[in-house]
Amino acid sequence: MQQRKWWQDGIIYQIYPRSFCDSNGDGYGDIPGIISKLDKLEALGIDAIWLSPVYKSPQVDNGYDIADYMAIDPMFGTMEDFDKLLAEAKARNIRIIMDLVINHTSDQHEWFQRSRRREPGYEDYYIWADKPNNWGGFFGGGAWDYDEVRGQYYLHLFAKEQPDLNWRNPAVMEEVQDILRFWLDKGVAGFRCDVINIIWKNDLENGVPSPILAGLKHYHSTPGCHAILRRLRRDVLDEYDAYTVGETVFVSEQQGRDLCEPNRKELDEIFSFEHMETEQIGVKWFKHPFKPEKFFRAIAKWQHALTWNANYFENHDQPRSVSRFGDDGKYHNKSAKMLATMLLTLKGTPFIYEGQEIGMTNFDFTHIDQLQDVESHNVWGIAKKLPFTDTYRWKMIKTSSRDNARQGVQWSDALHGGFTTGTPWLAVNKNYKTINYASQERDSDSILNYYKSLIALRRENEILRRGTFEEKLIRGDVFVYEREYEGKKLTVALNFSDKIRSIPFKGKQIFGNYEKKEFIGVLAPWEGAIIEVE
Ligand code: ISL
C-alpha cells in the first residue's frame, strides 16, 4: 500500500496576510502578526498554513501581482520575519505552503521591464503581439493592453498590471524552477498554484464571440499545461516531497482527474469550482437564490470524481460561507457549526479560511468607495455603463465582491476587532463586538470551540479521515452521506434550513451542533449531526 502523505490526514488553514493580524499599526496585516497568533492556530488543530502571497508586489491585486518572487514585501515584514515564521510554525508542527503565481507577474517585475525594452534574453518572457485578439479578461474588459515602450500589445488575463508569462520560452521554466527551489530549500512544504490550468496558451487565435472570457478554449487545461506540471514535479517537487494544490478554474471531472489523479504525477489536489458556482447564471455577478440541493449534488459529484479532494467553502475570492450557504442572522451559531460539520467530514483535505472558524460574515459595506478590490471596481465601472438598475448593480457587488471575505480578522472586541491599532486598510466588520475570537475562546458553546472539538474528533477518527463517501439522501435542503472505512461506518446528516426535517435514519449520535445522545430521525433547524446508524 502506498504510504499516506501528511496532507491526506491533515487540515490546511488559509491566511490572507494583509487581513490577518497587524503587528505594527500600519493598518495591514503582517508576518510578525501571523507569528503572534500561531499558538491559537496550534490550539485549533491545523497541520499547515497556506499563505496567500507575501512577495514583493505593488499590490494592485493584493500580492497576486508579484514583482520579486524571492523577496518579502516590506508591508508584510522582512525575510528574517519569514524565516522566523517557518521556524515557529515548525516548532508547533505546522507546515507552510506558499502561493505560487506563475500565470503572470506584476508589470513592475524586472522581467517585464526588460522585456518591454527588448533587452537581449528577455524579449520573449511575455506574450507580445502587434494586433490583439478578442479574448476577454477575468476581471472584465479586454485581455490586451498596448505598451508604449515596446510598441506592442501584451496579454493579461487578469488586471492590466498582471502581464501573462510566455511559457513557450524555456527560460521561464528555468526561472520558476529556481523560485521553487529557493522556497523549498528554506523548508516550505509546498505550493498552492494560482490559476494553474490556464498557463499554457495553445495559440493566440480569436475565441468564440462572447462578452466574457472569449478565448478560454485556447488556453484552458491544455496539453502544454500538463507537460509543465509533470516537468515541475519531476525536476523539482518530487525531490523535496513537496505538496501542490492547484487552483483550477472551470474544470470538468475529467479535466480535474487529468490534473491530479496520483498516476498522472502532476498536482496532488485541485480546487474545483462547481460547488461554488451553483447559484451562478454564467458568471458570479449574476445569481439565482442559493438552492442547497444543487450544492449537494455538485459536492457529491466531485467526491466521486476524484480519488482525493481539496474541500473548501471559503477563500479570499469568495463571499463568507455562513452568509452565503447558512444564516448569518438568527441561526448564525448553528448554521456556521453545521457548515463546519460538513467541511470536516467530507472525503479529502479540509481548507479553513481565516475567520471561518469564528463564523465571520460578509462585509457590511454601504458604499462602493469602501471597497478596495480591483475586480469589484472594474466590474462596477462596466456595470455602470450597462442598462442595470442601481439596485441590481448594487446587489451584484454586495453579494459577490471579493472584499466580502477580506476584512480584518476579528480577534477581540477592542477597536477594529483587535486586527490593528491603526486605521485598517479595509474597514473591519462592525459585528466584531459580538463575533470575535476572544469571546469565542471563553464560550464553550462557540463556533470556535465546535471547530476545535470537531478537528480533534477527525484527528482520532479513521473513518472521517480515510473513509469512502456515499450520498444516502439528497432532498431539498437535507443532505445525508455515509463514510466507510474497513467496514466501519459513520453517517452525516445536515439540515440547510430553519425548518425541522425528518429523515429515515436513527442511531447513536457521536457529534453534532445539538447536544443529544440518540438521533431519532429528526433534524432541528440548521442541524449537523454525525451518527452511528443502527
Ligand atoms: O474570483 C474570481 C473571479 O471573479 C475568480 O475568477 C478568480 O479571479 C480566479 O479564481 C483566479 O483567482 C486567483 O488568481 C487571481 C487573483 O486575483 C485571485 O485572488 C486568485 O485567487 C489572479 O492572480
Side-chain angles (χ1 to χ4, degrees):
M1 207 176 91
Q2 254 200 333
Q3 209 203 329
R4 279 181 76 87
K5 306 279 191 181
W6 67 265
W7 45 269
Q8 292 178 299
D9 286 315
I11 293 169
I12 302 181
Y13 184 91
Q14 183 192 354
I15 290 186
Y16 195 61
R18 62 159 53 212
S19 304
F20 190 67
C21 175
D22 174 20
S23 73
N24 61 3
D26 67 357
Y28 295 91
D30 48 42
I31 295 174
I34 300 174
I35 297 172
S36 74
K37 301 295 183 191
L38 284 176
D39 285 340
K40 296 200 187 300
L41 298 183
E42 184 184 18
L44 180 60
I46 56 137
D47 298 86
I49 292 170
W50 147 28
L51 209 56
S52 277
V54 288
Y55 316 99
K56 191 157 185 287
S57 159
Q59 303 288 331
V60 170
D61 188 18
N62 295 358
Y64 282 88
D65 47 326
I66 300 172
D68 184 346
Y69 289 81
M70 299 194 202
I72 301 292
D73 196 283
M75 160 180 155
F76 297 121
T78 61
M79 194 56 89
E80 286 72 50
D81 292 329
F82 180 84
D83 292 338
K84 186 167 172 216
L85 170 63
L86 257 181
E88 293 280 339
K90 190 168 180 198
R92 293 167 178 82
N93 283 320
I94 297 175
R95 293 171 168 83
I96 301 286
I97 294 161
M98 300 301 277
D99 212 312
L100 185 72
V101 188
I102 52 173
N103 175 68
H104 45 268
T105 70
S106 160
D107 61 352
Q108 299 306 306
H109 197 292
E110 192 192 331
W111 303 335
F112 188 74
Q113 292 302 321
R114 293 183 163 200
S115 194
R116 68 202 292 232
R117 294 195 296 264
R118 297 180 197 261
E119 283 187 25
Y122 290 89
E123 299 96 327
D124 301 327
Y125 264 53
Y126 295 85
I127 302 176
W128 296 99
D130 293 328
K131 218 170 128 294
N133 61 26
N134 70 349
W135 298 359
F138 278 67
F139 292 164
W144 294 86
D145 256 67
Y146 187 70
D147 182 58
E148 296 284 351
V149 176
R150 169 132 172 171
Q152 274 190 308
Y153 292 87
Y154 63 93
L155 176 72
H156 60 87
L157 289 180
F158 293 88
K160 68 178 191 324
E161 297 85 354
Q162 292 169 300
D164 281 41
L165 282 163
N166 175 18
W167 275 91
R168 287 174 186 273
N169 182 349
V172 168
M173 170 61 90
E174 272 170 41
E175 299 273 17
V176 169
Q177 296 204 356
D178 286 349
I179 293 165
L180 295 180
R181 286 186 190 282
F182 176 83
W183 293 102
L184 290 166
D185 284 338
K186 278 188 178 287
V188 310
F191 300 91
R192 174 266 185 188
C193 311
D194 193 63
V195 291
I196 198 68
N197 62 328
I198 59 170
I199 62 178
W200 177 269
K201 282 74 185 175
N202 268 345
D203 56 60
L204 298 179
E205 301 297 311
N206 277 333
V208 289
S210 150
I212 307 148
L213 293 182
L216 191 67
K217 103 170 195 293
H218 299 265
Y219 55 78
H220 184 248
S221 296
T222 55
C225 170
H226 291 296
I228 294 168
L229 290 174
R230 280 197 289 274
R231 176 92 192 272
L232 291 176
R233 179 148 175 174
R234 190 195 63 205
D235 290 1
V236 185
L237 297 162
D238 271 350
E239 190 185 313
Y240 296 82
D241 200 16
Y243 160 79
T244 52
V245 53
E247 186 206 26
T248 53
V249 290
F250 307 117
V251 280
S252 66
E253 293 159 281
Q254 189 55 48
Q255 287 167 334
R257 282 192 285 271
D258 288 347
L259 287 157
C260 75
E261 281 304 291
N263 62 351
R264 300 275 304 173
K265 299 211 175 313
E266 297 191 13
L267 298 160
D268 289 316
E269 299 186 320
I270 60 163
F271 292 126
S272 60
F273 278 70
E274 197 171 331
H275 68 293
M276 298 299 270
E277 294 174 345
T278 59
E279 333 97 296
Q280 267 178 219
I281 310 168
V283 288
K284 73 173 186 186
W285 304 101
F286 308 115
K287 282 183 175 143
H288 296 293
F290 174 64
K291 285 229 171 53
E293 186 160 338
K294 280 177 94 177
F295 179 68
F296 306 151
R297 291 201 190 284
I299 293 276
K301 171 176 159 187
W302 280 89
Q303 286 277 295
H304 292 297
L306 305 176
T307 306
W308 201 258
N309 299 76
N311 297 311
Y312 72 101
F313 297 158
E314 284 185 27
N315 61 36
H316 63 293
D317 291 334
Q318 301 283 345
R320 288 289 184 178
S321 60
V322 71
S323 300
R324 183 178 182 187
F325 308 132
D327 174 348
D328 62 10
K330 182 171 170 202
Y331 288 102
H332 176 253
N333 176 296
K334 287 290 182 213
S335 66
K337 289 176 178 173
M338 184 278 296
L339 288 167
T341 313
M342 180 168 175
L343 181 67
L344 287 148
T345 60
L346 290 170
K347 169 177 70 81
T349 309
F351 283 75
I352 299 169
Y353 176 64
E354 61 181 34
Q356 185 175 357
E357 73 276 32
I358 56 167
M360 278 180 60
T361 62
N362 272 353
F363 197 169
D364 50 352
F365 64 96
T366 50
H367 196 275
I368 183 76
D369 291 347
Q370 289 168 272
L371 298 185
Q372 301 266 348
D373 181 22
V374 56
E375 182 194 56
S376 299
H377 282 285
N378 277 0
V379 168
W380 180 255
I382 295 169
K384 270 194 356 204
K385 293 185 199 129
L386 297 171
F388 296 138
T389 61
D390 287 350
T391 324
Y392 192 80
R393 193 162 50 229
W394 183 245
K395 197 174 142 209
M396 285 165 64
I397 294 288
K398 195 77 185 149
T399 51
S400 303
S401 169
R402 303 193 297 180
D403 278 348
N404 274 312
R406 293 180 177 184
Q407 294 183 285
V409 172
Q410 297 161 205
W411 294 107
S412 70
D413 62 4
L415 185 64
H416 305 309
F419 161 67
T420 178
T421 52
T423 308
W425 70 274
L426 189 69
V428 171
N429 199 308
K430 283 189 286 299
N431 64 21
Y432 72 80
K433 295 253 185 233
T434 47
I435 302 175
N436 66 66
Y437 229 90
S439 68
Q440 293 202 18
E441 278 175 321
R442 290 189 299 266
D443 172 8
S444 61
D445 188 41
S446 68
I447 300 164
L448 178 63
N449 279 313
Y450 188 83
Y451 265 92
K452 285 185 186 169
S453 335
L454 184 50
I455 289 172
L457 170 70
R458 191 177 190 278
R459 200 170 277 290
E460 70 189 29
N461 190 299
E462 289 195 314
I463 312 173
L464 294 181
R465 290 198 322 279
R466 306 183 171 194
T468 54
F469 167 94
E470 197 191 327
E471 61 272 42
K472 289 286 173 189
L473 179 69
I474 293 182
R475 195 184 58 207
D477 34 38
V478 171
F479 190 20
V480 182
Y481 51 86
E482 184 180 84
R483 305 289 312 277
E484 176 175 358
Y485 184 71
E486 293 184 338
K488 293 172 291 186
K489 295 178 181 174
L490 280 179
T491 299
V492 180
L494 308 164
N495 179 5
F496 273 61
S497 83
D498 56 8
K499 311 277 180 322
I500 292 167
R501 300 287 185 221
S502 314
I503 54 169
F505 301 93
K506 290 191 176 120
K508 181 172 160 229
Q509 173 162 321
I510 67 157
F511 201 86
N513 59 353
Y514 283 82
E515 253 178 65
K516 46 172 104 155
K517 293 212 163 40
E518 285 304 309
F519 184 84
I520 56 162
V522 180
L523 282 167
W526 297 103
E527 179 163 1
I530 307 179
I531 312 152
E532 279 169 1
V533 167
E534 279 158 9

